[in-house]
Structure formats: structure tokens, C-alpha cells
Amino acid sequence: MSDNNNMNLDKNLEDFEIQEVLRNGTDLREYALQIDKGIIEAEKASVADYLRESENIGSLHNQIEECDNILGKMESMLLVFQNDLGSISNEIISLQKRSVNMSVQLSNRQVLKGPLSAFIEDMAVSETVIFGINNVPVTDKEFMVQLAILNQKLNFVKEQDFKETKACHDVKDVLEKLKIKAVSKIRTYILEQIYKFRKPMANYQIPQNAMLKYKFFFEFVLTNERNVAQEICNEYIDTLSKVYYSYFKSYASRLDKLKYEEAPNKDDLMGIEDGSKGGFFQKSNLKNKSTIFTIGNRGDVLAQQLEAPIIVPHVQQKTKYSYEALFRSLQYALVDNGCREYLFTTEFFHVKGNHAQELFDRILGKTLSVLVKNVENYVVECYDCLALFLCIQLINRYKLMCHKRAVAALDSYWESLYNTLWPRLQYVLKLNIQSVRDCDPSKLSNKEMGPHYITRRYAEFSAAMLSLSEQFPSEELSKLLTVLQDEVHCFLLKMAAEFPQRIQQLIFLINNYDMVLSILMERTRDNTKEAESFREQLQGRSSEYVEEILSPHFGGMIQFVKECEQLQDGDKKAELAGLERKSLSLVASFSSGWKQSLEEIHREVLVSFPNLVTGSGLLQMALTNFVQYYHKFVKLLTPSARTQLVNIHVIMVEIKKYKTNF
């Protein structure tokens, strides 16, 4: 860039000089000659200067050559250095490559170290394992530890053998011998525990608990020797099947000896009279037939006795029990043993679902068949509805109990029992219904107006059945009880017709309806349809009875009030005036005997109804109606006739004397 500037400067000077020449009018040829002369002089001066400085120039030349030599040497040295640095760089690159390769190799070895160590550890069989399997007792904790290690190695070798790993051949023989030894020792131990079940009076929960403690033994055998596992399982099934069969057959037989000797027969039905020809000559063992219709404390088997300890026959051999109590004890023993057995088999033998059910049936199937057969034998001759129904309710509760324990294996057994008991209950219930239907009131010896024994039997029986079925209601049972209720209604109406007077009929019906309603309300919920039906009947008959008992004493006054009300409604004033003359005689008659009439009503009501609460209620109802009629009677009288009447306050004071605290 500076050269360009100089050129531009020279050019500017020349231009300036040319401009000056032209401006001064100088001749160009002269000017050119002058320039040439100046150049020649400058050349001469330059040569003279060169000659004067020739020595210095020679010296400078020599110095330049020396510098050139030095620079040549330096160039050679730098070339050598360059070659050396190039080889060093190659060596560094080579070292870097080797370092990377070594790092990869190290990483690969570290990655391989873990699996390889684990492989060697899983494959190798230590002396500890060999000693533990061969010499340590099976009940020792160390044997269990070494058995778990052996099981792990066996599984590992199987897996590697499938992959054709050659190392398996080195340990296969050793592991096979150890497996055979372990299986042999385990088989011997488990069979010893199973044989303990066969000892008389043995508590088989103890060996079962011992087997559960070492349940891994069977898992090991099942994994490695299925034939031995099947042998153990078959031996257990065969032994326990016989143990349970023997125990429950013996227990059921001994319980049967504790049963009440009294048992109802086909003549001990609701509609058959006590001491009737059929029941008497059949030699019924029942001292009181009503006991088979009364629940009493028999329902305790569903409550506090449901999970009570089972009956021990040899301890309680002098005590007698009802069938349902013995049934409860037997079934509760089955529930306890069956649930424990099912849970044991599923845990020890590692089965579930259909396989668990099949194994359970093989163990307890024969026992369950015997128990069902025993119930069938009892049911054939059973005429005790309450016993049958209590057994059905026990089945429902024990089935639910099994489900809470996560055991559904007994469901088919419960179903078999239900299918045995329910048809018999239906049959006996229908026999009782038919006995009430066939009952001829004209042939009965008991014709009192109090509660009838058939009604009492029905009330106790119906209340018992309703209260027992609250938790597990049955539509079929409800229908049968409705039919029985209708037959009892019909019987009461037929029985009431045996009394000649209407008031006697009403007393009989009220006493019977009241007794049924009282028992139903005491033993069941107030809102049952049976209680509601009898409540309606009782209210209707009570209203009619009140009219009937007032009629002999105050019939004239009541009739007068009713006739007058009818005439007033018809606006018949002439006939009303005719009745006014009749009212005077009614006033005189009422005034002379009303106190005695109230006393007679009071006495008659209390005598007619053994239930004091019912009698008191009817008396108060009668007195209330009497006061209402009297008020109407007073309003219908003429002012002159009213003056002869007893003051209402006097009557109310008298009525208060009959107020009771019931």
C-alpha cells in the first residue's frame, strides 16, 4: 500500500513539474537535455560513492554469507526437529490407541467378572453343601439352609444344561447324588410325621404344624422327584382319610347316645289333641306335646352356643341333648377340622382351585358321605320342625363361617345337607297344616273360651320360625307359614262357631288372637305380616265385643241413640217426637241401674279374659263407648227429661274406680 502511495506521489511531482514548465514557457528539448545531464551527473556521483564504500560493501557481503550459512544450519536443525516431532506424534497416537484398547478390555473384564463369579458360585458345589445334605439332620436349621442352596444349584444347572453349557457336566453327578440323598431323608421324615397320625388318641395338629414348619421339604421333592412327591401325597391322603373317617364316625355314634329319648312321631302334630287315640296308642315319648312347637332356649345353638366347645361324650354322658345341639357339635367339629385341613393341604402341597378341591375331597369325601347318611337316617323319622329348621340355620351360619375363613371346599357338603333337611321340613310342615285343616272342633274335648292349645302351639311355633329366619329369610318357608296361618284362622272361626252365644264366640276369638299377637310381638319384629294380620283381627273383634257387652245393660239407650241419629239424618221430626215418650222410660231405667250395670260389665270382662292387660283394655274401651253414647243420649233428650238424668260428672267419678294400672 506504501508503494502505491509513493508512485502516486512521484506522479504528482512530475505532473507538477510539467505544469511548472508549461507555465514558465520553458523549451521542452532544453528541459530534456537538462534532465539527461542531471542523470549522468547523478550516475557519476553514484559510482564515486560506490567506489568509496566498496570495502564496506565487501564486508557486508561476507557478513551476509555467514548469516546465510548460519540460517542453513538452523534450517537443517529445524528439519531434524520436525522429523523428531512427527515420530513422537505417531508414538502418542499409538499410545492413545493402546490405552483405549486396554480401557475397553478392562471394562469388558469388569463387566464379565460379576456374572462369571455368580456363574462359578452357582455352579460350584462347596464342601459345606455336601456335608450339610449328607450329615446334618433334616430338622436342623442348617439342613434347611443347605437344601435351599442345593435346590438353587439344581435349578441353575437345569437351566444351563438346556443352553448346552459344558461346565454342567463337571457338577451334574455330584448334584444328582446330593439330590437323591436329600429326597431320601425328606421322604423318611415326612412319612414319619404322617405315621404319627395313626397313633390312637393322637393330636394330629402337632405333626401337621411340624410339617408346615418344613413345608419347603415337599416343595423341593415336588420340584425334583415327582414320583416321591406323589407317594407322600397318597400316603397322607390314605392316612388322614382313615383318621377322619374313624374319628367322625365314632364321634357321631357316641353323640347319638346323648340324644333325648323323647322324640315326636307322626301323631305329634299341631292339630292333634293331647292324649288323643292315635298319639296315645303310638306310645309317644313326649310328656308335653307343646315342647316341639316351643323354641325355649333351643335357639341358643344359633347364638352363644354357635362357636361353643364341642360336646365331649364321655364327660357329659349323663346329660341329654336335643338333636340340633348334637348336630351343632358335630358340624362345628367338622368346620374346625375341615377348614384347618383345607388350609393345610393348600399350603403344604402347593395346590389351589380345582386341584385343592380334588385333594380335599379325597381326604374327607368318605367322612362327609357318612355324615350326610347319618342326617338322612335321622330325617326319615323326624317330625320335629324346629329341630329341622335349626339344623338348616346352622348350615347357613357354618357355611358363612367357612367362607370367612376362605374355605369354600365344604359348599357341596352343606348343599347336600340342605337338600336332605329342607324337603323333610316341608313335608312335616304340610303334615301340621293338614292336621289343623282336618281338626274337627265338634270332636274336641276342650271347649273353653280361653286360648286354645292349637292356637298356643301355632303362636309359639310361628314366632320361633319367624325369629330364627330373620338372618337367612326363605320365601318358600314364608309361603308355608302363610298357609298355616290361614288354616289356623279357619280353625278359630270353626271353633268359635261351637259356642252358642255371639259374645262367647267373640271372647274366644279375642283371647286367641290376643295370645298369638302377644307371643309374636314378644319374639319377633312388630311389623311382621303375621302380627299385622292378627292385630287387625283383634281390633275388629274387640270393637264388636264392646258393643255386645254394653247391649244387655245399656242396649235400650244405645238403640235409642242410633234410631234418633237415623231419623235426624232423614229429617223425620214426627217420628222423633214419638221417640221422646220412649226416652222417659229409658231415663228412669238408666238412673235406677247404671251403677250395677257397670259393676257387672267390669266383673264379666275380668272373668272372661285371663290376660289382665287385654281385659283392662277392653273394659276401658267399653266404658269409653258407654260415655260417648251417654253424651249423645243426653243431647237427644228434652230439657225436662235431662233433669231426671244422672249428672255426667257422677258417672265419670264412678268410671274412674275401674281404671287399672295395667
Side-chain angles (χ1 to χ4, degrees), residues 538-585:
L538 179 61
Q539 290 174 350
R541 297 299 182 268
S542 297
S543 299
E544 187 178 352
Y545 171 76
V546 166
E547 294 291 330
E548 287 291 332
I549 200 172
L550 289 175
S551 182
H553 304 282
F554 305 107
M557 180 184 70
I558 294 171
Q559 185 64 29
F560 177 81
V561 170
K562 290 180 178 179
E563 289 179 358
C564 289
E565 287 179 343
Q566 290 178 355
L567 294 175
Q568 284 179 340
D569 292 339
D571 198 20
K572 299 178 180 179
K573 296 182 179 179
E575 295 180 10
L576 276 172
L579 287 175
E580 289 179 0
R581 291 188 294 273
K582 181 181 178 181
S583 66
L584 296 175
S585 61

Side-chain angles (χ1 to χ4, degrees), residues 31 44 92 95 142 150 158 281-282 289 292 295-296 359 373 392 408 412 492 501 557 586 590 617 621 623 659:
Y31 184 71
K44 290 178 178 179
I92 291 173
L95 288 172
E142 181 63 22
L150 176 61
K158 286 179 185 177
F281 287 103
Q282 286 291 333
K289 191 179 294 187
I292 67 170
I295 188 68
L359 184 60
K373 187 66 177 176
I392 290 174
S412 59
L492 290 176
Q501 298 179 7
M557 180 184 70
L586 289 174
F590 177 85
M621 188 184 298
L623 295 176
K659 187 176 182 180

Side-chain angles (χ1 to χ4, degrees), residues 265-268 272-286 289:
N265 57 34
K266 63 181 179 180
D267 293 299
D268 295 315
I272 297 179
E273 189 174 7
D274 285 334
S276 64
K277 182 177 180 181
F280 182 77
F281 287 103
Q282 286 291 333
K283 296 183 179 179
S284 172
N285 291 323
L286 294 180
K289 191 179 294 187

Side-chain angles (χ1 to χ4, degrees), residues 307-325:
E307 298 184 50
I310 63 173
I311 297 170
V312 183
H314 68 273
V315 175
Q316 297 164 312
Q317 55 186 348
K318 295 183 179 180
T319 307
K320 297 298 180 182
Y321 295 90
S322 61
Y323 177 76
E324 65 272 7

